[in-house]
Amino acid sequence: MKQIVKEYEPLLVDCCVNEDKIRILNKLSEDLERRKPLHALALSEEAFEMAMADNDEKGIVKSLLHIGRSLWLTGNLEKALERLIDGLSRVRKLNELEYEVEFLNALGNVNLYLKIYDRALEYYGQALNLAKVIKYNKLIAGLLNNIGEIHYRLHDYSIALGYYEESLKKFEEQDEEAPKTVPLINLGAVYLALENFAESEKYLRKCLKISQTEKDAIGESGSLHFLGKLAYKIGDKDAAIGFYEKCLLVNREVGDVFSEVELYIDYYYVAKDNNEIEKGIAYLKRSLELAEKIKAKDFICQICSLLASSYELKGDVEKTIFYYKKFHDQTNEVTGFEQESKLRGIAIQIKAEETQRKNKAFEILTEELERKTQELSRSYSQMKVISEIGQSITATLSLKKVFRRIYENVNNLMDATVLGIGIYNRAKDAIEYKLYIEEGENAPVFDIPLCSRSSWAVWCFKNKKEIMINDTEKEYPKYLEAIKSTYGTMRPSIIFCPLILEDEVIGVVTVQSKEKNA
């Protein structure tokens, strides 16, 4: 770190007092955050040491903010929490309200990455309320984007879009161009997820243009990567490779290894589509090497699963088993690691809150924020249940036990009288239900001919569309010629979803309730 600081010493030559050096070091750190976060960290830590030696409380606070943000950008989340909470406590004593907003926003970002979404929203909410009071418009725009990011991660795309669009509108009211890249790339990502390719490309190209003009390497790398994903989605593999290669060059300048890991996975998908299995495996091995280097366990799980599938296609049983086992072991490790990280993060914050309560009560959230917090809490609870289902699946090899556990967990989300999975049987030309539970009881195997005109499952399968109905008697004419139950009792509230594997419908899954409007 000291070696990095030496590179910037010529810029400090004319400073007569430490106060000026601290100010310049922190300004350099802020300027370098999105290009060279490790350099930003080294400079802000140097500023912090000087400020501590001089008992310069303002210098300490500003240094802690830049240290916390740089630690967050380099993935050291627990250390980032400690520095930011210390800084928040200090800044509240100084009554520096703009910096208080900055600390709250940064704490929201760290909790977002720790996947503690309810606490992230709480920090963003406090920051947004305070920013509105003091008219800190620059941060208002950023906070709206960050709240949108929570909803994007929870797949609430319509809500995320609203926040991203409002964020962009606020940024456009200001003179600076560079900050616009954040909501622009996020809008591109959401529209890509919604398969609105024209809108996605519009926002991503605008982001790329601004990023290149403003020399924002992180924004340039991100927009190139998403443009590659977009090209791949619409079937233009050559264009996808072109964007990935440009992204790789820019990204190596930035030093974002996480992005490089994901890029090689994307290269694999192109190779797989071209039936270049060996090349695809080579990309995955390079990705795995990088992921293991930075201990990116989520990526390691994904890559091991893809390698196992690739070797299975080649007929290499030994390597298939090796990577499936590694995938299973890593999945268990990830679950434990995520829980430990969240618990440590929460423990750090609870300890800090006990101290803060003695000095100042937290800002009371507005009625609108409380409503949004409740919405998010519901989404988060649903995610926890989905996580439990995933853990259940990896805990046993018995298909019937897995299905029973899914049934029990789905009932924690909704009133599920029926849960069924039907798979298309080509020989019978019918949807065959081998897994079907009604009122807690396993049903015998039964099937529904694909020629049926009174079957919700058949309609769902043939049209590749989901069905969600709260009153079957009232709504069936939109889908069926007649209404009747193939097995068991007809339920008034139903969901049917097609099961799709590599763009081919292989069956349906259904959840049904005995209650109307369930």
Side-chain angles (χ1 to χ4, degrees):
M1 287 292 188
K2 291 292 182 185
Q3 190 62 39
I4 291 173
V5 174
K6 281 184 180 179
E7 292 179 34
Y8 299 91
E9 279 181 354
L11 299 171
L12 306 174
V13 170
D14 296 332
C15 297
C16 299
V17 293
N18 275 356
E19 187 179 349
D20 289 337
K21 288 182 180 178
I22 293 163
R23 178 178 52 79
I24 290 170
L25 284 167
N26 278 321
K27 182 68 174 69
L28 284 168
S29 175
E30 184 179 4
D31 292 343
L32 288 167
E33 267 180 19
R34 285 184 63 79
R35 288 183 286 137
K36 296 180 177 179
L38 282 173
H39 286 228
L41 178 59
L43 294 169
S44 54
E45 285 184 335
E46 182 74 10
F48 177 74
E49 286 178 18
M50 287 185 180
M52 287 291 286
D54 287 4
N55 201 24
D56 175 2
E57 196 61 29
K58 277 192 178 180
I60 292 169
V61 162
K62 290 177 182 179
S63 302
L64 284 170
L65 176 63
H66 297 305
I67 290 169
R69 288 205 301 223
S70 299
L71 287 166
W72 160 59
L73 286 167
T74 53
N76 194 339
L77 303 182
E78 289 170 34
K79 194 71 176 173
L81 271 181
E82 290 175 3
R83 293 296 199 175
L84 292 169
I85 287 169
D86 182 17
L88 181 61
S89 175
R90 290 172 182 269
V91 80
R92 281 176 166 162
K93 291 173 186 173
L94 293 175
N95 201 31
E96 291 273 354
L97 297 181
E98 283 194 3
Y99 272 96
E100 184 173 342
V101 173
E102 296 271 12
F103 273 104
L104 289 166
N105 181 44
L107 281 162
N109 291 339
V110 177
N111 278 277
L112 179 66
Y113 274 66
L114 282 167
K115 300 180 183 177
I116 309 173
Y117 297 126
D118 50 349
R119 191 168 286 266
L121 186 64
E122 185 180 334
Y123 279 123
Y124 289 147
Q126 290 180 54
L128 188 58
N129 287 339
L130 185 53
K132 285 178 178 177
V133 169
I134 65 174
K135 295 181 169 56
Y136 193 2
N137 293 326
K138 179 182 174 182
L139 247 290
I140 289 173
L143 286 159
L144 289 167
N145 174 83
N146 294 344
I147 293 171
E149 182 70 10
I150 295 175
H151 290 285
Y152 174 74
R153 292 189 180 209
L154 293 171
H155 305 291
D156 295 333
Y157 295 132
S158 58
I159 298 174
L161 269 179
Y163 277 109
Y164 290 151
E165 285 166 352
E166 197 176 345
S167 170
L168 182 59
K169 186 179 175 183
K170 292 284 184 187
F171 276 126
E172 285 173 341
E173 292 170 4
Q174 300 164 31
D175 294 332
E176 294 179 82
E177 284 288 296
K180 295 178 190 175
T181 60
V182 178
L184 282 170
I185 198 167
N186 288 335
L187 283 163
V190 173
Y191 279 117
L192 181 60
L194 293 170
E195 298 191 343
N196 187 335
F197 301 133
E199 284 295 293
S200 178
E201 183 173 14
K202 180 181 82 174
Y203 285 112
L204 291 173
R205 287 200 176 276
K206 192 172 181 181
C207 177
L208 180 61
K209 185 178 178 182
I210 294 172
S211 299
Q212 289 173 334
T213 304
E214 298 293 321
K215 293 182 169 54
D216 175 2
I218 291 177
E220 184 180 359
S221 171
S223 50
L224 285 167
H225 196 170
F226 272 108
L227 281 165
K229 288 175 180 286
L230 171 61
Y232 175 75
K233 273 249 187 182
I234 61 178
D236 192 344
K237 295 172 197 168
D238 291 338
I241 289 290
F243 283 120
Y244 292 157
E245 286 174 352
K246 288 177 186 176
C247 177
L248 201 55
L249 286 172
V250 177
N251 188 62
R252 281 175 179 165
E253 206 177 298
V254 175
D256 184 352
V257 184
F258 284 92
S259 182
E260 194 169 343
V261 169
E262 193 175 355
L263 267 168
Y264 281 116
I265 294 172
D266 289 331
Y267 273 121
Y268 153 78
Y269 281 115
V270 176
K272 181 191 173 191
D273 286 357
N274 291 333
N275 293 317
E276 297 172 322
I277 298 174
E278 288 295 344
K279 186 185 277 192
I281 287 172
Y283 285 133
L284 289 175
K285 285 188 173 179
R286 175 59 181 150
S287 185
L288 182 60
E289 180 187 338
L290 292 168
E292 288 179 332
K293 184 179 176 183
I294 58 172
K295 298 178 181 177
K297 293 182 180 291
D298 282 336
F299 276 126
I300 293 170
C301 290
Q302 182 186 359
I303 297 161
C304 287
S305 174
L306 293 172
L307 278 166
S309 299
S310 298
Y311 279 116
E312 191 172 7
L313 282 172
K314 284 188 68 181
D316 190 329
V317 176
E318 186 179 344
K319 286 183 178 175
T320 300
I321 293 170
F322 172 80
Y323 283 109
Y324 270 131
K325 185 178 185 305
K326 190 166 184 177
F327 163 71
H328 179 268
D329 293 344
Q330 286 293 320
T331 300
N332 289 338
E333 271 189 43
V334 165
T335 304
F337 178 76
E338 282 189 353
Q339 288 174 347
E340 285 174 18
S341 292
K342 286 181 183 179
L343 288 171
R344 282 197 297 270
I346 291 167
I348 289 167
Q349 292 171 99
I350 288 171
K351 187 177 178 182
E353 285 166 6
E354 287 171 358
T355 306
Q356 288 169 351
R357 284 193 193 101
K358 295 175 185 176
N359 302 319
K360 183 181 177 183
F362 282 122
E363 296 289 333
I364 299 171
L365 295 178
T366 59
E367 187 178 329
E368 179 189 4
L369 184 63
E370 286 174 351
R371 179 177 59 79
K372 292 186 184 302
T373 302
Q374 288 168 4
E375 286 176 8
L376 192 65
S377 293
R378 283 195 294 273
S379 296
Y380 188 55
S381 297
Q382 290 172 355
M383 283 191 72
K384 283 171 69 179
V385 171
I386 291 164
S387 174
E388 286 166 9
I389 291 172
Q391 290 174 44
S392 296
I393 289 170
T394 58
T396 178
L397 296 175
S398 166
L399 188 59
K400 288 187 177 177
K401 284 183 181 177
V402 168
F403 190 64
R404 171 63 61 176
R405 287 178 186 176
I406 293 173
Y407 176 76
E408 290 164 359
N409 278 293
V410 167
N411 270 281
N412 290 329
L413 290 176
M414 64 188 83
D415 174 48
T417 312
V418 170
L419 176 68
I421 296 177
I423 302 297
Y424 176 58
N425 185 318
R426 198 175 297 277
K428 294 181 180 179
D429 195 30
I431 296 171
E432 187 175 58
Y433 282 96
K434 289 185 179 179
L435 298 169
Y436 195 92
I437 297 176
E438 183 171 23
E439 300 278 8
E441 298 295 325
N442 292 314
V445 176
F446 65 95
D447 51 52
I448 303 170
L450 220 59
C451 60
S452 172
R453 295 185 179 181
S454 61
S455 166
W456 301 103
V458 170
W459 190 96
C460 172
F461 181 88
K462 285 184 172 179
N463 289 278
K464 286 191 181 181
K465 290 181 181 177
E466 55 191 56
I467 302 169
M468 186 169 75
I469 287 176
N470 279 305
D471 188 341
T472 49
E473 286 187 13
K474 184 178 176 182
E475 298 185 57
Y476 84 86
K478 297 176 188 175
Y479 303 88
L480 310 176
E481 291 184 3
I483 184 171
K484 67 177 183 177
S485 174
T486 308
Y487 178 86
T489 308
M490 178 60 65
R491 305 296 174 180
S493 295
I494 61 167
I495 296 173
F496 277 83
C497 290
L499 294 172
I500 299 174
L501 184 64
E502 296 182 350
D503 294 328
E504 182 183 353
V505 183
I506 61 165
V508 296
V509 60
T510 180
V511 180
Q512 303 174 23
S513 172
K514 60 180 178 293
E515 304 295 336
K516 281 188 180 181
N517 303 307

